[in-house]
Amino acid sequence: MVLSMYKDAKVIGTDLSPIQPRWVPPNVEFFVDDAEADWTFKPEFDCIHVRGMAGSIRDWPRLIKQAYNALRPGGYLEVIEIPRFDLMSDDGTYNDRTALWRYYGLVNKASEMAGRSLSLECDFPKIFKEAGFEEYHVTIKSLPMGTWPADKKMKELGQWIAAVYASLPARSLPPLINAGVGPVLVSKRTALAFSPESWGWNWRRQRSCLPTVHRRSRNGLYMHTSISEFLPHRLLLAWKC
Ligand SMILES: C[S@@+](CC[C@H](N)C(=O)[O-])C[C@H]1O[C@@H](n2cnc3c(N)ncnc32)[C@H](O)[C@@H]1O
């Protein structure tokens, strides 16, 4: 929609998988490309946008540096990522007795083991500075998950977020399988063969949350939950002078 408004802009989108739709405005082009490989772009972009790449990138400083190099002077980088792959609640309804809490802990651990953490607690201002950016700005916005807010706009937003997070089990599958913790998804033998005893915590208990969370996601129960969760999102902007 934005691109139809800015017809003079040319946009290049990249992804590892050819999953993009064909019905895009003529000023958009998609390439299959690995953002972790060496970038071949010249310093040619006015804006580079990165979103939802936590869990995909091993070396964030390198990615940010490559983005810096590909920007024209005056251009800016926008990174939208959740600081931590987890939920929060003000009223304590999201707590360690909920299956969802244990689920997030499990997936976080598995993504760390895979070397591609879903939680980006890294120091982005420092990474920006070291990449060469002189100015940057960080904003945190908390978005509700589910239809629990009384406010009409927040309720609708919560509906969108819960719909996106209905894909949670699918998104969590690769790190869980890598870590061998997906007995409901892969065979018991695989799970036992790779059981991460070295995690130093009761992974069997943690693992028991999987069927509950999967069933609830499938049935859309996180849409109308009694748990008042919200998800902090971090918007980072950095300018190249
Ligand atoms: C959670 S989705 C986010 C998609 C999009 N940026 C958005 O915000 O709607 C992550 C995407 O990153 C892609 N991806 C993962 N690793 C990548 C890499 N090394 N280079 C380019 N794309 C990658 C995946 O194929 C997937 O489509």
Side-chain angles (χ1 to χ4, degrees):
M1 201 171 93
V2 175
L3 292 174
S4 314
M5 287 159 58
Y6 296 94
K7 293 195 170 56
D8 292 341
K10 189 179 165 216
V11 175
I12 294 173
T14 65
D15 200 297
L16 264 188
S17 324
I19 53 163
Q20 292 74 25
R22 296 219 179 109
W23 36 272
V24 291
N27 48 344
V28 181
E29 236 182 318
F30 286 115
F31 296 121
V32 170
D33 200 3
D34 182 354
E36 292 198 292
D38 289 338
W39 289 24
T40 51
F41 302 111
K42 299 187 294 282
E44 56 190 303
F45 298 108
D46 296 307
C47 170
I48 296 178
H49 163 90
V50 176
R51 185 179 71 174
M53 297 300 286
S56 301
I57 304 296
R58 266 183 203 279
D59 189 345
W60 278 91
R62 177 171 138 84
L63 183 89
I64 302 294
K65 179 73 187 163
Q66 297 214 79
Y68 178 86
N69 292 341
L71 281 170
R72 281 199 189 113
Y76 70 99
L77 168 68
E78 180 181 75
V79 181
I80 305 176
E81 296 289 342
I82 47 175
R84 186 166 166 73
F85 184 71
D86 204 355
L87 299 169
M88 293 172 81
S89 74
D90 280 336
D91 58 6
T93 45
Y94 177 65
N95 59 55
D96 60 1
R97 292 184 304 282
T98 61
L100 208 51
W101 171 292
R102 281 185 282 130
Y103 183 81
Y104 271 90
L106 191 65
V107 179
N108 263 313
K109 200 83 180 171
S111 72
E112 277 163 30
M113 285 175 72
R116 291 186 159 87
S117 179
L118 279 159
S119 286
L120 297 180
E121 286 161 311
C122 45
D123 186 349
F124 270 106
K126 183 165 172 258
I127 295 175
F128 284 149
K129 227 181 199 162
E130 283 173 4
F133 289 104
E134 281 166 23
E135 264 184 70
Y136 48 81
H137 186 67
V138 184
T139 314
I140 305 260
K141 287 214 180 294
S142 287
L143 305 181
M145 182 156 115
T147 53
W148 59 267
D151 178 82
K152 198 168 159 244
K153 189 172 171 221
M154 294 308 266
K155 195 185 271 299
E156 191 186 339
L157 244 172
Q159 215 163 350
W160 280 99
I161 299 286
V164 170
Y165 275 77
S167 66
L168 199 59
R171 287 184 65 186
S172 312
L173 200 64
L176 286 176
I177 288 182
N178 275 339
V181 213
V184 288
L185 311 165
V186 290
S187 73
K188 198 162 187 167
R189 187 184 292 165
T190 316
L192 290 175
F194 296 99
S195 65
E197 304 294 0
S198 57
W199 290 11
W201 49 297
N202 189 343
W203 71 276
R204 274 173 214 280
R205 180 170 174 270
Q206 303 294 331
R207 193 185 64 177
S208 65
C209 65
L210 289 175
T212 311
V213 172
H214 287 193
R215 193 182 58 251
R216 288 181 151 233
S217 295
R218 205 170 43 239
N219 297 337
L221 288 181
Y222 289 122
M223 187 67 89
H224 306 288
T225 175
S226 56
I227 302 176
S228 343
E229 310 113 333
F230 53 84
L231 255 159
H233 278 65
R234 183 168 47 186
L235 168 65
L236 302 134
L237 287 172
W239 288 267
K240 180 171 178 173
C241 297

